[in-house]
């Protein structure tokens, strides 16, 4: 199983499908490839059409999942990304991208993170400097 997490931001459904397929070719397990958008219904549609997953209780942990019931959508998205090891700064940036109708595609390395830790080795595309 792949241990490195990669995060791609794309603009169209076709690009999301291409990236999901690329993660699968690279060896990511199907249940470790996720899509996120700012709108829950759109996330579900993109996940269905790309055969990707949505971040759920197994990935984010029960405590985060329960807390997300009371959070705004932006806070929920950031908490979900944080559970996969994305830093607070990167989660903020990605959530802003989703505000602009972008789709975030994640190939997850499989390690669950709590609020205080993040994975400093995640690869982002397009790349950016924090």
């Amino acid at each position: 199983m792949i241990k490195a997490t990669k995060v791609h931001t794309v603009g169209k459904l076709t690009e999301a499908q291409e990236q999901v397929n690329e993660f699968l070719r690279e060896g990511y397990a199907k249940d470790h490839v996720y899509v996120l958008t700012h709108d829950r219904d759109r996330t579900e549609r993109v996940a269905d059409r790309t055969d990707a997953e949505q971040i759920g209780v197994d990935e984010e942990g029960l405590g985060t999942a329960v807390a997300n019931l009371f959070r705004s959508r932006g806070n929920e998205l950031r908490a979900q990304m944080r559970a996969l090891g994305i830093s607070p700064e990167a989660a903020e940036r990605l959530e802003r991208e989703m505000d602009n109708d972008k789709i975030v595609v994640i190939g997850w390395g499989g390690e669950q993170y709590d609020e205080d830790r993040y994975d400093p080795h995640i690869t982002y595309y397009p790349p950016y400097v924090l």
Side-chain angles (χ1 to χ4, degrees):
M1 174 162 65
I2 303 278
K3 294 292 183 187
T5 296
K6 294 182 181 179
V7 179
H8 283 241
T9 306
V10 299
K12 300 177 191 171
L13 177 63
T14 55
E15 294 169 326
Q17 180 66 68
E18 290 167 7
Q19 190 55 55
V20 166
N21 291 340
E22 180 61 28
F23 282 150
L24 295 174
R25 279 192 297 276
E26 289 176 13
Y28 284 90
K30 182 191 172 309
D31 62 345
H32 283 187
V33 178
Y34 303 96
V35 293
L36 283 172
T37 72
H38 209 282
D39 177 77
R40 281 185 186 89
D41 292 335
R42 184 176 183 220
T43 298
E44 187 173 329
R45 286 191 311 273
V46 171
D48 287 345
R49 291 186 179 137
T50 62
D51 205 25
E53 299 294 320
Q54 297 180 61
I55 298 171
V57 175
D58 288 343
E59 298 79 26
E60 63 187 336
L62 184 59
T64 299
V66 171
N68 281 344
L69 296 173
F70 304 99
R71 291 180 170 143
S72 69
R73 179 63 174 160
N75 287 341
E76 176 186 1
L77 289 167
R78 288 188 296 277
Q80 288 177 330
M81 289 185 281
R82 297 277 293 121
L84 301 185
I86 296 171
S87 72
E89 298 84 6
E92 287 276 341
R93 183 190 68 83
L94 292 166
E95 197 260 328
R96 284 193 307 269
E97 292 285 334
M98 286 185 271
D99 280 341
N100 293 317
D101 290 330
K102 299 293 184 183
I103 301 167
V104 174
V105 185
I106 302 170
W108 184 40
E111 183 175 346
Q112 195 175 53
Y113 291 81
D114 58 29
E115 292 290 323
D116 298 327
R117 296 182 322 123
Y118 68 92
D119 181 352
H121 305 293
I122 293 177
T123 303
Y124 297 92
Y125 184 83
Y128 71 99
V129 178
L130 290 177

